[in-house]
Amino acid sequence: MDRKCKICEKPLKGRTDKIFCSTYCKNQYHKHLRYASKQAAIEINGYLKRNYSILSELLGNNKSQVKIYRNVLEKKKFRFMYHTHFHINSHNKMFHYIYDLAWMEFSDDEILIVKKRK
């Protein structure tokens, strides 16, 4: 069985569980993994910030909750799949949180936006 380096495809000699031919190839592999995960985190954090600012704008400064239509969020390019955590209340309604702001699908067309109490 010909074993080859994951990076440069050179034949491997030595231990049977060896993956890389050199320290350089090993470092290149892990450097690429760190870069890819960092880029993904930056992209997701950007979506979270944008969603938070949209919810904050719609909620306003003096309100603790507001009901709006779903298409208002869609027009502002809100990404529903990005949130930090969720909570299911005693009525089995799921609140999707972005830090201290949350939204819940009130009906098919309406979304309830809520600010978490401190």
Side-chain angles (χ1 to χ4, degrees):
M1 182 169 109
D2 291 337
R3 296 175 303 121
K4 295 184 179 184
C5 176
K6 268 189 164 184
I7 299 298
C8 67
E9 301 287 323
K10 287 182 184 175
L12 295 175
K13 297 175 187 167
R15 292 176 36 176
T16 57
D17 62 345
K18 197 172 185 180
I19 299 172
F20 307 104
C21 66
S22 67
T23 309
Y24 175 79
C25 285
K26 179 181 170 186
N27 288 341
Q28 287 297 330
Y29 176 77
H30 290 290
K31 182 180 176 183
H32 176 71
L33 282 182
R34 282 192 308 275
Y35 176 79
S37 64
K38 184 178 178 181
Q39 289 303 106
I42 288 170
E43 182 180 353
I44 290 169
N45 196 37
Y47 296 149
L48 289 173
K49 284 181 179 180
R50 174 126 174 98
N51 279 356
Y52 186 85
S53 66
I54 291 169
L55 291 179
S56 181
E57 174 190 335
L58 292 172
L59 188 60
N61 292 334
N62 301 324
K63 297 180 184 175
S64 62
Q65 69 180 32
V66 66
K67 197 184 303 182
I68 61 163
Y69 288 104
R70 183 181 190 90
N71 63 356
V72 172
L73 287 174
E74 289 171 351
K75 284 180 184 176
K76 291 184 175 284
K77 306 268 192 271
F78 187 84
R79 295 178 183 247
F80 288 94
M81 67 181 283
Y82 292 99
H83 54 275
T84 55
H85 59 286
F86 64 90
H87 171 74
I88 299 174
N89 69 4
S90 59
H91 301 292
N92 278 342
K93 297 287 186 177
M94 184 182 294
F95 285 87
H96 300 272
Y97 277 88
I98 300 176
Y99 309 118
D100 65 333
L101 298 180
W103 80 91
M104 177 190 73
E105 295 186 19
F106 196 70
S107 67
D108 289 341
D109 293 340
E110 292 181 319
I111 303 284
L112 178 67
I113 301 173
V114 179
K115 186 171 184 109
K116 187 177 181 180
R117 295 183 193 129
K118 294 180 181 181

